[in-house]
Structures are given as C-alpha cells and as structure tokens.
Amino acid sequence: MPCHRCGARQTDPVRGASPWRRGVRAGEQVLVCSDCQRGRDWTADLAHCAACGSPRLVRALGSTQCKDCGAQDSVTAEAPAAPEQATESRSGVTTLSEDVHAALERHFGQRTD
C-alpha cells in the first residue's frame, strides 16, 4: 500500500519499528511515510477518534478501532485534503510505472523522461 500523500511505496522493513504510520481516511486505512510525517501536522487530514480525539485509528474487517482508548467505530470526519496533496492519476489509480517514475524523481531530483 503506498503513502496516501506522496504515493511512495513501502519497502521491505528493516529490523525494529516501522517509520510508517497508519491512519483512517474516508473510511479506509491508509499509510503515511516518514517523509510526509515531517514539517506540519500530518494527522490533520485523517479521521480522529470521537471519544478521545486520537488519530491513531486502524481498520480491520469493516470496523474502525482507536489504538489509544480502544473505542470501536467512534470516528469523527477528517478535514478535506488540499488539492495540491492529491497523488492520484487521471483515472483515479496510480500505476506501478507512475509510482516508479515519481520515486525516481524524488530520489534523484530530476526528470526521468
């Protein structure tokens, strides 16, 4: 599953805790890479627990659970995403070649065309 903000794909994990974080957005579980967690409030566009306000939500088998207080299916709506954060292609789904192209641009800082 790619990062919901930048589209970066998760690589094989190294030993220890993963730097990627889970969240819920539009009723679906999403991942946020460590790069997108820097700089600003990366949880602003994620759903939060209605009971405790935590953004640490997970989705499993059609239900949402708060990892902080344990509340089930108690979610407040997330704020709408800014247009410049969209990472989806015209069809609504990025292809692997588009993801690779974007990753190369991020890594090398240049166009790969």
Side-chain angles (χ1 to χ4, degrees):
M1 176 184 305
C3 174
H4 94 94
R5 289 182 167 214
C6 69
R9 295 226 181 241
Q10 191 173 22
T11 58
D12 288 336
V14 294
R15 295 190 95 145
S18 173
W20 289 62
R21 297 292 174 243
R22 292 184 185 123
V24 173
R25 180 169 166 77
E28 298 293 324
Q29 182 164 298
V30 296
L31 292 175
V32 180
C33 71
S34 58
D35 290 339
C36 290
Q37 294 172 37
R38 293 187 208 128
R40 64 176 192 85
D41 183 15
W42 61 273
T43 64
D45 60 346
L46 299 176
H48 289 71
C49 176
C52 71
S54 173
R56 293 183 33 156
L57 304 175
V58 292
R59 282 279 294 158
L61 301 173
S63 115
T64 304
Q65 182 176 11
C66 177
K67 291 191 76 159
D68 286 339
C69 73
Q72 288 275 132
D73 297 321
S74 181
V75 177
T76 59
E78 64 271 5
E84 66 273 5
Q85 293 175 348
T87 61
E88 296 179 345
S89 66
R90 288 179 301 274
S91 65
V93 177
T94 58
T95 64
L96 181 57
S97 65
E98 291 170 330
D99 290 341
V100 169
H101 180 78
L104 289 171
E105 285 185 13
R106 281 191 309 276
H107 183 72
F108 294 109
Q110 60 190 18
R111 303 276 310 161
T112 58
D113 295 323

